[in-house]
Amino acid sequence: RLDAGPKGATVQFRNDSFANPAGLVEFLSERGGVAKIRDNRLVLQNALGSANARVKAAWGIARDLARKAAA
């Protein structure tokens, strides 16, 4: 589940697991302090003002996580 709002986005993984944990760690390190794990959720804190910006950000997050999961 991916939710994007004006302050950022949250991702909750099915069954609270990720297919490639090493890829998830790599995803977190690539985003510096913007991405964190909190309460079994991935939290990305970025200002996403417009609805268009939220959709683009959500698409990019989903794409990048899918690539990390498949790697």
Side-chain angles (χ1 to χ4, degrees):
R1 175 178 168 178
L2 192 152
D3 294 313
K7 294 182 181 179
T10 61
V11 179
Q12 185 171 3
F13 302 110
R14 184 178 186 158
N15 298 327
D16 291 330
S17 66
F18 190 72
N20 180 5
L24 181 58
V25 170
E26 187 177 325
F27 178 88
L28 291 168
S29 66
E30 289 172 353
R31 276 146 185 85
V34 174
K36 298 177 183 179
I37 299 291
R38 231 183 261 155
D39 299 326
N40 289 337
R41 292 179 188 204
L42 173 61
V43 178
L44 295 111
Q45 296 176 322
N46 281 339
L48 304 172
S50 69
N52 191 31
R54 287 182 224 152
V55 170
K56 285 183 180 180
W59 175 255
I61 292 165
R63 180 196 61 224
D64 293 347
L65 285 172
R67 288 179 181 162
K68 296 296 182 189

Short mmCIF file of all heavy atoms in Angstrom, two decimals:
data_model
loop_
_atom_site.label_atom_id
_atom_site.label_comp_id
_atom_site.label_asym_id
_atom_site.label_seq_id
_atom_site.Cartn_x
_atom_site.Cartn_y
_atom_site.Cartn_z
N ARG A 1 0.85 -1.17 0.00
CA ARG A 1 0.00 0.00 0.00
C ARG A 1 0.90 1.23 0.00
O ARG A 1 1.82 1.33 0.79
CB ARG A 1 -0.88 -0.05 1.24
CG ARG A 1 -1.72 1.15 1.41
CD ARG A 1 -2.58 1.01 2.63
NE ARG A 1 -3.17 2.30 2.91
CZ ARG A 1 -3.99 2.51 3.88
NH1 ARG A 1 -4.33 1.52 4.68
NH2 ARG A 1 -4.49 3.68 4.08
N LEU A 2 0.62 2.16 -0.88
CA LEU A 2 1.40 3.38 -0.99
C LEU A 2 0.44 4.57 -0.88
O LEU A 2 -0.53 4.66 -1.63
CB LEU A 2 2.12 3.41 -2.34
CG LEU A 2 3.19 4.48 -2.50
CD1 LEU A 2 4.23 4.00 -3.49
CD2 LEU A 2 2.64 5.79 -2.94
N ASP A 3 0.69 5.42 0.09
CA ASP A 3 -0.11 6.63 0.28
C ASP A 3 0.80 7.84 0.12
O ASP A 3 1.89 7.88 0.72
CB ASP A 3 -0.72 6.67 1.68
CG ASP A 3 -1.75 5.59 1.92
OD1 ASP A 3 -2.61 5.41 1.03
OD2 ASP A 3 -1.70 4.92 2.96
N ALA A 4 0.37 8.80 -0.67
CA ALA A 4 1.15 10.03 -0.88
C ALA A 4 0.29 11.22 -0.49
O ALA A 4 -0.85 11.33 -0.92
CB ALA A 4 1.60 10.15 -2.32
N GLY A 5 0.85 12.10 0.33
CA GLY A 5 0.16 13.31 0.75
C GLY A 5 1.07 14.51 0.59
O GLY A 5 2.18 14.39 0.08
N PRO A 6 0.64 15.66 1.06
CA PRO A 6 1.42 16.88 0.87
C PRO A 6 2.77 16.88 1.59
O PRO A 6 3.69 17.56 1.18
CB PRO A 6 0.52 17.99 1.40
CG PRO A 6 -0.58 17.33 2.12
CD PRO A 6 -0.64 15.91 1.69
N LYS A 7 2.92 16.08 2.65
CA LYS A 7 4.18 16.06 3.41
C LYS A 7 5.11 14.92 3.03
O LYS A 7 6.25 14.86 3.48
CB LYS A 7 3.88 15.97 4.90
CG LYS A 7 3.18 17.19 5.44
CD LYS A 7 2.96 17.06 6.92
CE LYS A 7 2.23 18.27 7.46
NZ LYS A 7 1.99 18.14 8.90
N GLY A 8 4.63 13.98 2.21
CA GLY A 8 5.46 12.87 1.81
C GLY A 8 4.63 11.64 1.50
O GLY A 8 3.46 11.74 1.16
N ALA A 9 5.26 10.46 1.64
CA ALA A 9 4.59 9.21 1.29
C ALA A 9 4.91 8.13 2.31
O ALA A 9 5.95 8.18 2.96
CB ALA A 9 5.03 8.76 -0.10
N THR A 10 4.00 7.17 2.43
CA THR A 10 4.24 5.99 3.25
C THR A 10 3.97 4.75 2.42
O THR A 10 3.08 4.74 1.57
CB THR A 10 3.35 5.95 4.51
OG1 THR A 10 1.99 5.93 4.12
CG2 THR A 10 3.62 7.13 5.42
N VAL A 11 4.75 3.71 2.69
CA VAL A 11 4.58 2.44 1.99
C VAL A 11 4.50 1.36 3.05
O VAL A 11 5.35 1.28 3.93
CB VAL A 11 5.78 2.14 1.05
CG1 VAL A 11 5.60 0.81 0.36
CG2 VAL A 11 5.96 3.27 0.05
N GLN A 12 3.44 0.54 2.96
CA GLN A 12 3.32 -0.61 3.83
C GLN A 12 3.36 -1.86 2.95
O GLN A 12 2.59 -1.96 1.99
CB GLN A 12 2.04 -0.57 4.64
CG GLN A 12 1.94 -1.70 5.63
CD GLN A 12 0.77 -1.53 6.58
OE1 GLN A 12 -0.02 -0.61 6.46
NE2 GLN A 12 0.66 -2.43 7.51
N PHE A 13 4.24 -2.78 3.27
CA PHE A 13 4.43 -3.97 2.45
C PHE A 13 3.48 -5.08 2.87
O PHE A 13 3.15 -5.21 4.05
CB PHE A 13 5.88 -4.46 2.55
CG PHE A 13 6.88 -3.42 2.13
CD1 PHE A 13 7.71 -2.81 3.04
CD2 PHE A 13 6.98 -3.05 0.80
CE1 PHE A 13 8.63 -1.85 2.65
CE2 PHE A 13 7.88 -2.09 0.39
CZ PHE A 13 8.71 -1.49 1.32
N ARG A 14 3.06 -5.86 1.91
CA ARG A 14 2.16 -6.98 2.17
C ARG A 14 2.84 -7.95 3.13
O ARG A 14 4.01 -8.30 2.95
CB ARG A 14 1.83 -7.68 0.86
CG ARG A 14 0.83 -8.77 1.02
CD ARG A 14 0.52 -9.37 -0.31
NE ARG A 14 -0.55 -10.33 -0.15
CZ ARG A 14 -1.33 -10.71 -1.10
NH1 ARG A 14 -1.18 -10.24 -2.32
NH2 ARG A 14 -2.27 -11.59 -0.87
N ASN A 15 2.12 -8.37 4.13
CA ASN A 15 2.63 -9.27 5.17
C ASN A 15 3.87 -8.71 5.86
O ASN A 15 4.68 -9.46 6.38
CB ASN A 15 2.91 -10.66 4.61
CG ASN A 15 1.68 -11.34 4.07
OD1 ASN A 15 0.58 -11.14 4.60
ND2 ASN A 15 1.83 -12.11 3.03
N ASP A 16 4.02 -7.40 5.83
CA ASP A 16 5.16 -6.71 6.47
C ASP A 16 6.50 -7.30 6.06
O ASP A 16 7.42 -7.42 6.88
CB ASP A 16 5.01 -6.73 7.99
CG ASP A 16 3.89 -5.86 8.48
OD1 ASP A 16 3.59 -4.85 7.80
OD2 ASP A 16 3.29 -6.16 9.53
N SER A 17 6.64 -7.69 4.80
CA SER A 17 7.93 -8.21 4.33
C SER A 17 8.23 -7.66 2.94
O SER A 17 7.34 -7.26 2.21
CB SER A 17 7.91 -9.75 4.30
OG SER A 17 7.00 -10.21 3.34
N PHE A 18 9.52 -7.63 2.63
CA PHE A 18 10.00 -7.16 1.33
C PHE A 18 10.80 -8.29 0.71
O PHE A 18 11.59 -8.95 1.39
CB PHE A 18 10.86 -5.90 1.52
CG PHE A 18 11.20 -5.19 0.24
CD1 PHE A 18 10.24 -4.48 -0.45
CD2 PHE A 18 12.48 -5.23 -0.27
CE1 PHE A 18 10.54 -3.81 -1.63
CE2 PHE A 18 12.81 -4.57 -1.45
CZ PHE A 18 11.81 -3.86 -2.13
N ALA A 19 10.61 -8.53 -0.58
CA ALA A 19 11.21 -9.68 -1.27
C ALA A 19 12.74 -9.68 -1.20
O ALA A 19 13.34 -10.74 -1.15
CB ALA A 19 10.76 -9.71 -2.73
N ASN A 20 13.36 -8.51 -1.18
CA ASN A 20 14.81 -8.41 -1.18
C ASN A 20 15.23 -7.41 -0.09
O ASN A 20 15.38 -6.23 -0.37
CB ASN A 20 15.29 -7.96 -2.56
CG ASN A 20 16.78 -7.81 -2.65
OD1 ASN A 20 17.51 -8.13 -1.71
ND2 ASN A 20 17.26 -7.33 -3.78
N PRO A 21 15.43 -7.88 1.15
CA PRO A 21 15.79 -6.95 2.23
C PRO A 21 17.05 -6.13 1.95
O PRO A 21 17.12 -4.96 2.30
CB PRO A 21 15.98 -7.87 3.45
CG PRO A 21 15.15 -9.07 3.14
CD PRO A 21 15.24 -9.23 1.65
N ALA A 22 18.03 -6.73 1.29
CA ALA A 22 19.24 -5.99 0.95
C ALA A 22 18.92 -4.86 -0.02
O ALA A 22 19.48 -3.76 0.07
CB ALA A 22 20.29 -6.92 0.34
N GLY A 23 17.99 -5.09 -0.94
CA GLY A 23 17.56 -4.05 -1.86
C GLY A 23 16.84 -2.91 -1.15
O GLY A 23 16.99 -1.74 -1.51
N LEU A 24 16.08 -3.26 -0.12
CA LEU A 24 15.39 -2.23 0.67
C LEU A 24 16.40 -1.36 1.42
O LEU A 24 16.27 -0.14 1.47
CB LEU A 24 14.40 -2.86 1.64
CG LEU A 24 13.59 -1.91 2.50
CD1 LEU A 24 12.78 -0.93 1.65
CD2 LEU A 24 12.66 -2.69 3.43
N VAL A 25 17.42 -1.98 1.98
CA VAL A 25 18.47 -1.23 2.66
C VAL A 25 19.17 -0.30 1.67
O VAL A 25 19.46 0.86 1.97
CB VAL A 25 19.48 -2.18 3.35
CG1 VAL A 25 20.70 -1.43 3.84
CG2 VAL A 25 18.81 -2.94 4.47
N GLU A 26 19.42 -0.79 0.47
CA GLU A 26 20.04 0.03 -0.57
C GLU A 26 19.12 1.21 -0.94
O GLU A 26 19.58 2.34 -1.09
CB GLU A 26 20.31 -0.83 -1.81
CG GLU A 26 21.09 -0.14 -2.88
CD GLU A 26 21.38 -1.08 -4.05
OE1 GLU A 26 21.59 -2.28 -3.82
OE2 GLU A 26 21.39 -0.58 -5.18
N PHE A 27 17.81 0.95 -1.06
CA PHE A 27 16.84 2.00 -1.35
C PHE A 27 16.89 3.08 -0.27
O PHE A 27 16.90 4.27 -0.57
CB PHE A 27 15.43 1.39 -1.43
CG PHE A 27 14.33 2.37 -1.68
CD1 PHE A 27 13.97 2.71 -2.97
CD2 PHE A 27 13.64 2.96 -0.62
CE1 PHE A 27 12.94 3.61 -3.22
CE2 PHE A 27 12.61 3.86 -0.86
CZ PHE A 27 12.27 4.19 -2.16
N LEU A 28 16.94 2.67 0.99
CA LEU A 28 16.99 3.62 2.10
C LEU A 28 18.28 4.44 2.07
O LEU A 28 18.25 5.66 2.27
CB LEU A 28 16.89 2.89 3.44
CG LEU A 28 15.55 2.24 3.75
CD1 LEU A 28 15.66 1.31 4.94
CD2 LEU A 28 14.49 3.30 3.98
N SER A 29 19.40 3.79 1.81
CA SER A 29 20.68 4.51 1.81
C SER A 29 20.78 5.49 0.64
O SER A 29 21.41 6.54 0.76
CB SER A 29 21.85 3.53 1.80
OG SER A 29 21.88 2.81 0.60
N GLU A 30 20.16 5.17 -0.49
CA GLU A 30 20.18 6.07 -1.64
C GLU A 30 19.41 7.36 -1.38
O GLU A 30 19.67 8.38 -2.01
CB GLU A 30 19.58 5.37 -2.87
CG GLU A 30 20.45 4.29 -3.44
CD GLU A 30 19.74 3.49 -4.52
OE1 GLU A 30 18.53 3.68 -4.73
OE2 GLU A 30 20.42 2.66 -5.15
N ARG A 31 18.45 7.31 -0.48
CA ARG A 31 17.63 8.48 -0.20
C ARG A 31 18.06 9.24 1.04
O ARG A 31 17.36 10.16 1.46
CB ARG A 31 16.17 8.06 -0.09
CG ARG A 31 15.59 8.00 -1.48
CD ARG A 31 14.59 6.93 -1.64
NE ARG A 31 14.15 6.85 -3.03
CZ ARG A 31 14.78 6.16 -3.96
NH1 ARG A 31 15.90 5.55 -3.69
NH2 ARG A 31 14.31 6.09 -5.18
N GLY A 32 19.17 8.89 1.63
CA GLY A 32 19.69 9.61 2.78
C GLY A 32 18.71 9.63 3.93
O GLY A 32 18.11 8.63 4.26
N GLY A 33 18.51 10.79 4.53
CA GLY A 33 17.63 10.92 5.67
C GLY A 33 16.17 11.10 5.31
O GLY A 33 15.33 11.24 6.19
N VAL A 34 15.84 11.11 4.04
CA VAL A 34 14.46 11.32 3.60
C VAL A 34 13.61 10.08 3.83
O VAL A 34 12.43 10.17 4.15
CB VAL A 34 14.42 11.73 2.11
CG1 VAL A 34 13.01 11.80 1.58
CG2 VAL A 34 15.12 13.05 1.91
N ALA A 35 14.19 8.88 3.70
CA ALA A 35 13.46 7.62 3.84
C ALA A 35 13.86 6.93 5.13
O ALA A 35 15.04 6.80 5.45
CB ALA A 35 13.74 6.72 2.65
N LYS A 36 12.83 6.49 5.88
CA LYS A 36 13.06 5.80 7.15
C LYS A 36 12.01 4.71 7.32
O LYS A 36 10.94 4.77 6.73
CB LYS A 36 12.93 6.79 8.32
CG LYS A 36 13.94 7.90 8.30
CD LYS A 36 13.71 8.86 9.42
CE LYS A 36 14.72 10.00 9.29
NZ LYS A 36 14.56 10.99 10.33
N ILE A 37 12.35 3.73 8.17
CA ILE A 37 11.38 2.71 8.54
C ILE A 37 10.82 3.11 9.90
O ILE A 37 11.56 3.36 10.84
CB ILE A 37 12.05 1.32 8.64
CG1 ILE A 37 12.63 0.89 7.30
CG2 ILE A 37 11.05 0.29 9.17
CD1 ILE A 37 11.61 0.59 6.23
N ARG A 38 9.48 3.18 9.95
CA ARG A 38 8.80 3.55 11.19
C ARG A 38 7.54 2.70 11.31
O ARG A 38 6.71 2.70 10.42
CB ARG A 38 8.40 5.03 11.13
CG ARG A 38 8.84 5.79 12.34
CD ARG A 38 8.38 7.22 12.29
NE ARG A 38 9.51 8.02 11.83
CZ ARG A 38 9.41 9.16 11.23
NH1 ARG A 38 8.24 9.69 10.98
NH2 ARG A 38 10.48 9.84 10.88
N ASP A 39 7.40 1.98 12.41
CA ASP A 39 6.21 1.16 12.67
C ASP A 39 5.90 0.22 11.51
O ASP A 39 4.76 0.14 11.03
CB ASP A 39 4.99 2.05 12.95
CG ASP A 39 5.16 2.93 14.17
OD1 ASP A 39 5.82 2.47 15.12
OD2 ASP A 39 4.65 4.05 14.17
N ASN A 40 6.89 -0.51 11.03
CA ASN A 40 6.75 -1.45 9.91
C ASN A 40 6.28 -0.79 8.62
O ASN A 40 5.65 -1.43 7.78
CB ASN A 40 5.81 -2.60 10.27
CG ASN A 40 6.42 -3.55 11.27
OD1 ASN A 40 7.63 -3.62 11.39
ND2 ASN A 40 5.59 -4.25 12.00
N ARG A 41 6.56 0.47 8.45
CA ARG A 41 6.23 1.20 7.23
C ARG A 41 7.46 1.96 6.76
O ARG A 41 8.28 2.40 7.55
CB ARG A 41 5.12 2.21 7.48
CG ARG A 41 3.81 1.57 7.78
CD ARG A 41 2.76 2.60 8.03
NE ARG A 41 1.57 1.90 8.49
CZ ARG A 41 0.37 2.37 8.38
NH1 ARG A 41 0.17 3.55 7.87
NH2 ARG A 41 -0.66 1.69 8.81
N LEU A 42 7.53 2.12 5.48
CA LEU A 42 8.56 2.96 4.87
C LEU A 42 7.97 4.36 4.77
O LEU A 42 6.91 4.56 4.20
CB LEU A 42 8.92 2.42 3.49
CG LEU A 42 9.86 3.26 2.63
CD1 LEU A 42 11.21 3.43 3.31
CD2 LEU A 42 10.03 2.62 1.27
N VAL A 43 8.65 5.33 5.36
CA VAL A 43 8.17 6.71 5.38
C VAL A 43 9.16 7.57 4.60
O VAL A 43 10.36 7.55 4.89
CB VAL A 43 8.03 7.24 6.83
CG1 VAL A 43 7.59 8.68 6.85
CG2 VAL A 43 7.08 6.37 7.63
N LEU A 44 8.66 8.30 3.62
CA LEU A 44 9.49 9.21 2.83
C LEU A 44 8.97 10.62 3.07
O LEU A 44 7.82 10.92 2.73
CB LEU A 44 9.41 8.85 1.35
CG LEU A 44 10.00 7.48 1.04
CD1 LEU A 44 8.91 6.52 0.65
CD2 LEU A 44 11.03 7.60 -0.03
N GLN A 45 9.81 11.46 3.65
CA GLN A 45 9.39 12.81 3.99
C GLN A 45 9.92 13.80 2.95
O GLN A 45 11.07 14.19 2.98
CB GLN A 45 9.90 13.18 5.38
CG GLN A 45 9.30 12.32 6.45
CD GLN A 45 9.88 12.61 7.81
OE1 GLN A 45 11.06 12.87 7.95
NE2 GLN A 45 9.03 12.55 8.82
N ASN A 46 9.05 14.15 2.03
CA ASN A 46 9.33 15.15 1.00
C ASN A 46 8.10 16.02 0.86
O ASN A 46 6.99 15.53 0.96
CB ASN A 46 9.59 14.50 -0.37
CG ASN A 46 10.98 13.94 -0.50
OD1 ASN A 46 11.89 14.33 0.20
ND2 ASN A 46 11.14 13.02 -1.42
N ALA A 47 8.28 17.28 0.59
CA ALA A 47 7.14 18.16 0.33
C ALA A 47 6.60 17.84 -1.06
O ALA A 47 7.31 17.95 -2.04
CB ALA A 47 7.56 19.61 0.43
N LEU A 48 5.36 17.41 -1.11
CA LEU A 48 4.70 17.07 -2.37
C LEU A 48 3.44 17.92 -2.47
O LEU A 48 2.36 17.48 -2.12
CB LEU A 48 4.34 15.58 -2.42
CG LEU A 48 5.49 14.59 -2.22
CD1 LEU A 48 4.95 13.18 -2.09
CD2 LEU A 48 6.46 14.69 -3.37
N GLY A 49 3.57 19.14 -2.95
CA GLY A 49 2.46 20.09 -2.93
C GLY A 49 1.27 19.72 -3.78
O GLY A 49 0.18 19.47 -3.28
N SER A 50 1.44 19.62 -5.06
CA SER A 50 0.29 19.42 -5.95
C SER A 50 -0.04 17.94 -6.10
O SER A 50 0.78 17.06 -5.85
CB SER A 50 0.58 20.01 -7.33
OG SER A 50 1.57 19.24 -7.99
N ALA A 51 -1.26 17.67 -6.54
CA ALA A 51 -1.68 16.29 -6.79
C ALA A 51 -0.82 15.66 -7.88
O ALA A 51 -0.48 14.48 -7.80
CB ALA A 51 -3.16 16.27 -7.17
N ASN A 52 -0.45 16.44 -8.87
CA ASN A 52 0.40 15.94 -9.95
C ASN A 52 1.76 15.51 -9.41
O ASN A 52 2.29 14.46 -9.79
CB ASN A 52 0.55 17.01 -11.03
CG ASN A 52 1.19 16.48 -12.29
OD1 ASN A 52 1.02 15.32 -12.63
ND2 ASN A 52 1.92 17.34 -12.98
N ALA A 53 2.33 16.29 -8.50
CA ALA A 53 3.62 15.94 -7.90
C ALA A 53 3.51 14.67 -7.08
O ALA A 53 4.42 13.84 -7.07
CB ALA A 53 4.12 17.09 -7.04
N ARG A 54 2.38 14.48 -6.39
CA ARG A 54 2.17 13.28 -5.59
C ARG A 54 2.09 12.03 -6.46
O ARG A 54 2.65 11.00 -6.13
CB ARG A 54 0.90 13.40 -4.76
CG ARG A 54 1.06 14.36 -3.63
CD ARG A 54 -0.20 14.44 -2.80
NE ARG A 54 -0.40 15.85 -2.54
CZ ARG A 54 -1.55 16.42 -2.34
NH1 ARG A 54 -2.66 15.73 -2.35
NH2 ARG A 54 -1.62 17.71 -2.10
N VAL A 55 1.39 12.15 -7.58
CA VAL A 55 1.27 11.00 -8.49
C VAL A 55 2.64 10.64 -9.07
O VAL A 55 3.02 9.46 -9.11
CB VAL A 55 0.26 11.29 -9.62
CG1 VAL A 55 0.31 10.23 -10.69
CG2 VAL A 55 -1.14 11.42 -9.05
N LYS A 56 3.40 11.63 -9.49
CA LYS A 56 4.74 11.38 -10.03
C LYS A 56 5.65 10.76 -8.99
O LYS A 56 6.41 9.83 -9.27
CB LYS A 56 5.36 12.67 -10.55
CG LYS A 56 4.78 13.12 -11.86
CD LYS A 56 5.47 14.37 -12.37
CE LYS A 56 4.89 14.81 -13.69
NZ LYS A 56 5.53 16.01 -14.22
N ALA A 57 5.59 11.26 -7.75
CA ALA A 57 6.42 10.72 -6.68
C ALA A 57 6.02 9.28 -6.36
O ALA A 57 6.88 8.41 -6.19
CB ALA A 57 6.30 11.59 -5.43
N ALA A 58 4.72 9.02 -6.28
CA ALA A 58 4.24 7.66 -5.99
C ALA A 58 4.69 6.70 -7.08
O ALA A 58 5.13 5.58 -6.80
CB ALA A 58 2.73 7.66 -5.86
N TRP A 59 4.58 7.12 -8.34
CA TRP A 59 5.02 6.29 -9.45
C TRP A 59 6.51 5.97 -9.34
O TRP A 59 6.94 4.84 -9.51
CB TRP A 59 4.70 6.98 -10.78
CG TRP A 59 5.22 6.25 -11.96
CD1 TRP A 59 6.30 6.57 -12.71
CD2 TRP A 59 4.70 5.05 -12.53
NE1 TRP A 59 6.48 5.66 -13.71
CE2 TRP A 59 5.51 4.71 -13.63
CE3 TRP A 59 3.63 4.22 -12.22
CZ2 TRP A 59 5.29 3.58 -14.40
CZ3 TRP A 59 3.42 3.10 -13.01
CH2 TRP A 59 4.24 2.79 -14.07
N GLY A 60 7.32 6.98 -9.05
CA GLY A 60 8.76 6.79 -8.92
C GLY A 60 9.13 5.87 -7.77
O GLY A 60 10.00 5.01 -7.90
N ILE A 61 8.45 6.02 -6.64
CA ILE A 61 8.71 5.16 -5.48
C ILE A 61 8.37 3.72 -5.82
O ILE A 61 9.15 2.80 -5.56
CB ILE A 61 7.90 5.65 -4.26
CG1 ILE A 61 8.43 7.00 -3.79
CG2 ILE A 61 7.95 4.62 -3.14
CD1 ILE A 61 7.50 7.73 -2.84
N ALA A 62 7.18 3.50 -6.40
CA ALA A 62 6.77 2.14 -6.75
C ALA A 62 7.73 1.51 -7.76
O ALA A 62 8.10 0.34 -7.62
CB ALA A 62 5.35 2.17 -7.32
N ARG A 63 8.14 2.28 -8.75
CA ARG A 63 9.08 1.78 -9.77
C ARG A 63 10.40 1.39 -9.13
O ARG A 63 10.93 0.30 -9.37
CB ARG A 63 9.29 2.85 -10.83
CG ARG A 63 10.26 2.44 -11.95
CD ARG A 63 10.75 3.62 -12.76
NE ARG A 63 11.46 4.52 -11.87
CZ ARG A 63 11.33 5.85 -11.87
NH1 ARG A 63 10.52 6.44 -12.70
NH2 ARG A 63 12.01 6.60 -11.02
N ASP A 64 10.95 2.27 -8.29
CA ASP A 64 12.25 2.01 -7.67
C ASP A 64 12.19 0.81 -6.72
O ASP A 64 13.11 -0.01 -6.68
CB ASP A 64 12.75 3.25 -6.94
CG ASP A 64 13.08 4.39 -7.89
OD1 ASP A 64 13.16 4.16 -9.11
OD2 ASP A 64 13.24 5.53 -7.40
N LEU A 65 11.12 0.71 -5.94
CA LEU A 65 10.99 -0.43 -5.03
C LEU A 65 10.82 -1.74 -5.80
O LEU A 65 11.36 -2.77 -5.39
CB LEU A 65 9.82 -0.22 -4.08
CG LEU A 65 10.06 0.78 -2.96
CD1 LEU A 65 8.77 1.05 -2.20
CD2 LEU A 65 11.15 0.29 -2.01
N ALA A 66 10.07 -1.71 -6.90
CA ALA A 66 9.91 -2.92 -7.71
C ALA A 66 11.26 -3.37 -8.28
O ALA A 66 11.55 -4.57 -8.31
CB ALA A 66 8.93 -2.66 -8.84
N ARG A 67 12.07 -2.44 -8.71
CA ARG A 67 13.41 -2.79 -9.22
C ARG A 67 14.27 -3.38 -8.13
O ARG A 67 15.01 -4.35 -8.36
CB ARG A 67 14.08 -1.55 -9.81
CG ARG A 67 13.48 -1.13 -11.12
CD ARG A 67 14.14 0.11 -11.66
NE ARG A 67 13.53 0.52 -12.94
CZ ARG A 67 13.64 1.69 -13.46
NH1 ARG A 67 14.35 2.63 -12.88
NH2 ARG A 67 13.04 1.98 -14.60
N LYS A 68 14.21 -2.84 -6.92
CA LYS A 68 15.01 -3.37 -5.81
C LYS A 68 14.52 -4.74 -5.39
O LYS A 68 15.32 -5.60 -5.03
CB LYS A 68 14.94 -2.42 -4.60
CG LYS A 68 15.55 -1.06 -4.86
CD LYS A 68 17.02 -1.13 -5.14
CE LYS A 68 17.57 0.27 -5.35
NZ LYS A 68 18.93 0.26 -5.83
N ALA A 69 13.21 -4.96 -5.44
CA ALA A 69 12.66 -6.26 -5.06
C ALA A 69 13.08 -7.34 -6.06
O ALA A 69 13.33 -8.49 -5.68
CB ALA A 69 11.14 -6.20 -4.97
N ALA A 70 13.15 -6.97 -7.33
CA ALA A 70 13.49 -7.95 -8.37
C ALA A 70 14.99 -8.22 -8.45
O ALA A 70 15.40 -9.25 -9.00
CB ALA A 70 13.01 -7.44 -9.72
N ALA A 71 15.81 -7.32 -7.92
CA ALA A 71 17.27 -7.47 -8.03
C ALA A 71 17.80 -8.58 -7.17
O ALA A 71 17.26 -9.06 -6.27
CB ALA A 71 17.95 -6.17 -7.66
#
